[in-house]
Amino acid sequence: MSLRPLLPALLSTALLAPVPAYAAAAGGPGDGIETARTTRQLAPGIRLESYDRLETDRWLRIDELVADLDPRGGVRAEYLGTGGATGPVTLAEAAARYRPGPGRRVVAAVNGDFFDIRATGAPLGPGIGSGRLLHSASPGPGGGAAVGFGPDGTGRLLRLGLDGTVTLPGGRAYPLAGYNAAKPPAQGYAVYTADWGGTRLPALGSGQAVELRDGKVVSTGPARAARPAPGTTVLTARGAAQAAALAALRPGDEVAVTARPLPAPGPPPVTALGGRGTLVAAGTPLNHDGEANDASAPRTAVGLSRDGRRLSLVTVDGRQRDSGGLTLTALGALMHRIGAHEALNLDGGGSTTLLAAHPGAAALTLENSPSDGHQRPVPNGLVLTAPAGPGPLAGFRVEPAGGATRLFPGLTRTLTATAYDTTLAPATATPRWSTDRGRIGPDGVYRAARPGPATVRVSAGPGAATATTAGASRGAPAAGDGTGRGPAGATVPGAASAPLGGPPAQTAAGAGGTPEGVLRLDVLGPLAGLRAVPGRIGLERREEGAGFALTGYDAQGAAAPVEPRDLTLSYDRTRWRVAEDGRGGFTVTALVPQAAGKLTATVKATGATTELALGVGSVAAPLAGFEDAAGWTGPGAAPAEGHPGAGLALEARSGAAATPPRPLPVPELTRALSLWVGGDGSGARPAVELAGADGVPLTLRGPAADWTGWREVRLPVPAGAEQPLRVTRLSAAPGSRPGRLLLDTLTATTPPTGPAAPAAARPDPVVGTAAQAAARPWRFAAGPAAAGGGTELVLTGTERAPFLHRGVRFLPLDTGRRTLDRGAGLARMRALRQALDAAAREPGTAALAVVLPYAPDTLDRKEAALLAQRLAEFRRTTGKNAAVITLGAPRFTAGRAEGVLTVAAPRTGRTLFGADAFAAPGRDWLSVAPPQP
């Protein structure tokens, strides 16, 4: 991607979310740097650390729950099952079903053990809950590895075997080989009870089973898949002798079954959860290089301190542009760095899920981003519980609608106040609002006055109750699938997060020690522009909906969302339904199957308007007809007869592919690609390979061509694909035998959208004439032209080292390699940090100018956002100026966001800059004269 078109938007949105100061980019031990961190207290003794990192070859998003396990009944780690559901459920559903006992509440949860995902859905490792054996480990990987917690709450890693017997009539006792095990032993006896966590019992083939109640046989026969009823034990057997012994049983026969966990080492734990792969042992991270499961993936892990009292539950997102996941070896190194003396790998991949509570909230919030795009049903997990009170009112958590703490003069922001007690559990109190600037009503609606900071306070109204009234003995309600944290630097414009740091950041003691909540708002300059995000919405069918928000900008490019109460919307109500989404935005729903139109939004107070293009239905947009098949190059590709006319033949073998003679851009709202395929019955699979934003590859694979003749195949585009997309090549995977596919007519299916007018582009005040640039104290130029004409230096893109000239520190950054190419992005961000540090401490430096040679697709969106973030933070904290100058761009552009100037100097002609690094506050420090035609 090109950095230049993105910088204004990124600069205007990156500052909406809480970020560390620019100088705090350095991370802990390791190759990368930490780019953002938030801390939230969940309950006394439990906090959530969420942080993002840039490594040499990937971005990472990590969540770490840190709990101080308390032997006096404070924080506890407990086994989380499905709450009686017949098989796996989402972690949110399991947490909602969980009953922590009187006076306790659910505070957080993570997914647990690996499970038999393609068959029974039951956990593969051992499990103990409330001191009771729930299931034993299945044969295979894992070997009974588990994390356990004793009666005093302390944790340890251990292995859990099974110690049990089956005593048949006559007194003959046999070893018990499985207890609610997902995969029964190849030979021996196994039992299943109402604690069984799967959807159905495992297949036993010709095995026998008997049902027991109160130690007596109630029925016999072939093993069945039905779950055992409460109070019933199903005894199964594999192996000829064992099956014959069960077949000989009759109703009324007495059969005794005993089962208990066999721990090694130490006594049986009260709680235990299985895992697979020790990450840290005795303070040493282990090396898993070369193992089958050591690929980069989403991860969940549990770590413990040496004394077992400090618990770390960690999730690492993976298989996403914003987070590439970790190998087992790297996960072990991470757990060791954060202080784990021993650590165990839990189930990862699409199962990786972490939920946590906000102060005063009964519901848990999804904190990470599951790689499936939603919470995957899982059979178990670990839940953290804590005392729920009752305690006296301690304060209020104050949140703005949509999380946005910015707004414009004359506009509003809706605030909510959630009361919590001294344990951070829900409390009941009537909020009473006040502010030092602007106005706020009893309903929590704040109306801004003049630009500048504003402080809103909320305290308990007269007669307010102060005792905890909710969450004392109930599980937390189900959490939604929305994440609690967006990608660092990839915030949707106007959708900022509220300050996260827990109650200390948002509460304070008022007069006389009265509990209160505090929120600081930033009133920007007057609204100068309005934009819909996104700018176009395409729906596929009637009654389908999609969301949008309206974002405003002031003259310096600072952004904030505009709330529905401040807007009027105009649209065709016979075709569309538009409703507020409760988060500061809107949802538009199609009322007809096929239509195109637009929505116009107007700010009531200022009259500023913008348009949003709308569409529903589908149209076919041709991408390639293969009349130019001879220009498609690659091994195994050749022109051929099409359907009809010209087509492309492609050998179905490894490495065979066809690259188009020119880029094939895919329309932005495309839902699917269609391709005519001439099959030969070989089972070969056609594929369309795409590149998304930042060059991220995406492959759409078609069905096995087990037919002969022509057939049109439809290849859906995943909803999360990063736009814009372009076709990079076509390929074919071999089938059951060598084959050859014929291809023709590649089209995109996309909804139609109406003719929404783009926002009017006004020249930025920084753009002027050569005379205006010459009036500045000194001048420099960008372009291939030699110095002269009164300029003191020329930026050509060949500069390598930072330099200081008349109050401006210039930082050339090499854009020759992509962000994640052998640490290129990491090197650029380290160079930026050094330059920012130097510019901040030098009295003679008043501005920093980052110089970037134009290089499409080198800086990905997250690196561009991080660059924007750091520059805006530098400007805000130091009062010094900042700019980004891109050299060799296709055309001249200039603008600003968060007060940071952005100028793209074209590859032809000379762009002239007039500079005054020490310009008076409120005045631009640059004047830019674009090249003359």
Side-chain angles (χ1 to χ4, degrees), residues 220-262:
T220 65
R224 295 176 296 173
R227 294 173 57 87
T232 299
T233 298
V234 175
L235 173 63
T236 68
R238 274 186 168 181
Q242 292 86 348
L246 290 195
L249 294 176
R250 296 292 180 266
D253 287 348
E254 294 187 353
V255 177
V257 177
T258 64
R260 65 184 183 90
L262 186 62

Side-chain angles (χ1 to χ4, degrees), residues 445-829:
V445 176
Y446 174 82
R447 184 171 295 277
R450 60 189 184 278
T455 300
V456 174
R457 297 181 184 275
V458 60
S459 58
T466 58
T468 300
T469 60
S473 61
R474 300 193 311 271
D481 278 339
T483 59
R485 175 174 101 256
T491 312
V492 173
S497 300
L500 294 177
Q506 296 194 29
T507 62
T514 303
E516 65 177 27
V518 178
L519 182 68
R520 289 172 178 83
L521 298 173
D522 184 13
V523 181
L524 304 175
L527 182 70
L530 186 68
R531 187 178 70 181
V533 181
R536 299 170 66 211
I537 287 180
L539 306 173
E540 197 169 18
R541 64 187 69 88
R542 183 171 55 188
E543 295 303 323
E544 182 181 349
F548 69 94
L550 279 302
T551 299
Y553 298 86
D554 68 9
Q556 290 295 321
V562 178
E563 286 198 12
R565 71 173 69 246
D566 294 322
L567 296 161
T568 58
L569 306 181
S570 175
Y571 56 93
D572 186 341
R573 283 171 167 75
T574 66
R575 295 182 171 188
W576 319 99
R577 180 174 63 247
V578 180
E580 297 181 22
D581 63 11
R583 300 184 301 275
F586 299 91
T587 300
V588 57
T589 303
L591 301 179
V592 295
Q594 188 87 18
K598 67 179 180 180
L599 176 148
T600 302
T602 304
V603 179
K604 298 174 185 177
T606 68
T609 66
T610 192
E611 293 182 352
L612 169 67
L614 300 174
V616 60
S618 62
V619 295
L623 299 182
F626 296 100
E627 293 82 0
D628 58 353
W632 288 67
T633 58
E641 187 69 21
H643 178 73
L648 180 72
L650 190 59
E651 298 292 335
R653 56 181 173 83
S654 178
T659 301
R662 66 190 65 82
L664 298 179
V666 178
E668 181 183 357
L669 301 179
T670 294
R671 297 296 187 94
L673 299 183
S674 295
L675 180 68
W676 279 92
V677 178
D680 61 358
S682 67
R685 298 173 63 95
V688 179
E689 299 181 22
L690 308 168
D694 310 331
V696 176
L698 172 65
T699 301
L700 307 182
R701 303 187 189 280
D706 51 7
W707 65 85
T708 57
W710 288 94
R711 182 179 296 180
E712 188 176 28
V713 299
R714 187 175 188 271
L715 310 173
V717 175
E722 294 291 344
Q723 303 288 343
L725 298 170
R726 64 181 186 276
V727 176
T728 56
R729 64 179 195 168
L730 306 179
S731 59
S736 57
R737 58 180 175 82
R740 180 172 179 264
L741 296 181
L742 301 179
L743 308 176
D744 197 5
T745 315
L746 178 64
T747 60
T749 302
T750 180
T753 53
R762 293 180 295 177
D764 191 272
V766 76
V767 179
T769 64
Q772 289 172 315
R776 295 286 185 151
W778 69 280
R779 288 152 300 287
F780 65 95
T791 60
E792 298 182 17
L793 62 91
V794 176
L795 301 175
T796 64
T798 60
E799 298 81 10
R800 292 292 177 264
F803 61 94
L804 180 64
H805 186 86
R806 297 190 65 171
V808 182
R809 175 167 287 277
F810 289 88
L811 173 63
L813 289 181
D814 179 9
T815 57
R817 290 187 292 131
R818 293 188 175 188
T819 298
L820 303 180
D821 180 8
R822 295 167 292 167
L826 190 59
R828 285 190 287 264
M829 289 301 101

Side-chain angles (χ1 to χ4, degrees), residues 326-346:
L326 288 177
T327 64
L328 283 179
T329 301
L331 181 63
L334 169 65
M335 299 302 292
H336 181 254
R337 285 201 302 271
I338 65 176
H341 184 71
E342 52 184 5
L344 179 67
N345 179 51
L346 302 180

Side-chain angles (χ1 to χ4, degrees), residues 152-257:
D152 65 350
T154 58
R156 74 185 197 271
L157 298 192
L158 71 162
R159 292 194 175 274
L160 278 176
L162 175 63
D163 181 17
T165 59
V166 175
T167 304
L168 300 179
R172 182 76 182 270
Y174 299 91
L176 183 64
Y179 186 86
N180 285 329
K183 296 183 178 181
Q187 185 167 323
Y189 296 97
V191 297
Y192 295 89
T193 72
D195 288 326
W196 166 247
T199 54
R200 61 182 185 276
L201 294 186
L204 295 172
S206 59
Q208 291 290 311
V210 299
E211 288 189 10
L212 309 174
R213 184 179 289 273
D214 298 326
K216 294 183 178 181
V217 176
V218 295
S219 67
T220 65
R224 295 176 296 173
R227 294 173 57 87
T232 299
T233 298
V234 175
L235 173 63
T236 68
R238 274 186 168 181
Q242 292 86 348
L246 290 195
L249 294 176
R250 296 292 180 266
D253 287 348
E254 294 187 353
V255 177
V257 177

